């Protein structure tokens, strides 16, 4: 009679009761699982100076499942600050304090994107156009009559945010400006100037009249 010796079966049978051999096709007492059952992922766990293999249904945090014809393995995520990933270069969940954006992890969202705090994701933000030119300097709807006024410029929202809770940047701003025309034509100052000239003219006329009377009186007395 010929006996066939299967080394993998031997190891599995010898160390099967060992917890680290759960799901193994072959197992070593010192190194744990060497080969896993179909559909399970091989994971090499490190504890200090020791390392041993495990067979898992899903890979732990920081790893993703890589299926190959030879054996399914847990491969480490190569994305910085990633907690779990879909593949080597695509993160599905970032570590605490980081926002997920297109498979990467960021401390803050890139320009044009806004942070969605409840999901810790970056979504399309509110997009605004270019600023307009500064408007006419005015005050109280007037462009004259004051030394200082305000000028305003605006910009339009060209793309609304993905969520209504995401605020848009300011679309209008004002700044202090100096009036181009200090005094309004026909305004209060012009009226005062006109009245002042008229009063001066009346005074001169009165003075001339009094002078004429004085001359006439002086001739009579002579």
């Amino acid at each position: 009679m010929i006996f066939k010796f299967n080394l993998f079966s031997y190891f599995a049978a010898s160390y099967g009761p060992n917890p680290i051999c759960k799901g193994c096709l072959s197992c070593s007492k010192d190194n744990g699982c060497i080969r896993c059952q179909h559909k399970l992922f091989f994971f090499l766990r490190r504890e200090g100076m020791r390392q041993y293999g495990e067979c898992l249904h899903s890979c732990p945090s920081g790893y993703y499942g890589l299926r190959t014809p030879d054996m399914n393995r847990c491969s480490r995520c190569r994305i910085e600050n990633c907690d779990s990933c879909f593949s080597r270069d695509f993160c599905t969940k970032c570590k605490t304090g980081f926002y997920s954006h297109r498979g990467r992890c960021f401390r803050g969202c890139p320009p044009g994107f806004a942070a969605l705090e409840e999901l810790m994701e970056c979504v399309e933000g509110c997009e605004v156009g270019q600023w307009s030119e500064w408007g006419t300097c005015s005050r109280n709807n007037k462009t004259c009559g004051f030394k200082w006024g305000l000028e305003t410029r605006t910009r339009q929202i060209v793309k609304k945010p993905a969520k209504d809770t995401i605020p848009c940047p300011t679309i209008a701003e004002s700044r202090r400006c100096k009036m181009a025309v200090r005094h309004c034509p026909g305004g209060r100052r012009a009226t005062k100037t006109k009245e002042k000239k008229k009063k001066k003219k009346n005074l001169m006329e009165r003075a001339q009249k009094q002078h004429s009377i004085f001359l006439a009186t002086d001739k009579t007395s002579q």
Side-chain angles (χ1 to χ4, degrees), residues 2 5 18 51 98 100 114 165:
I2 300 173
F5 181 76
N18 194 324
Q51 62 181 23
F98 291 87
S100 173
T165 54

Side-chain angles (χ1 to χ4, degrees), residues 50-84:
R50 185 191 174 203
Q51 62 181 23
Y52 58 90
E54 287 183 301
C55 293
L56 307 172
H57 287 280
S58 60
C59 296
S61 177
Y63 292 80
Y64 69 96
L66 180 64
R67 296 186 182 276
T68 63
D70 179 49
M71 184 169 64
N72 302 328
R73 298 176 180 273
C74 288
S75 184
R76 184 184 292 275
C77 298
R78 299 299 178 183
I79 303 164
E80 192 176 359
N81 302 311
C82 182
D83 192 43
S84 59

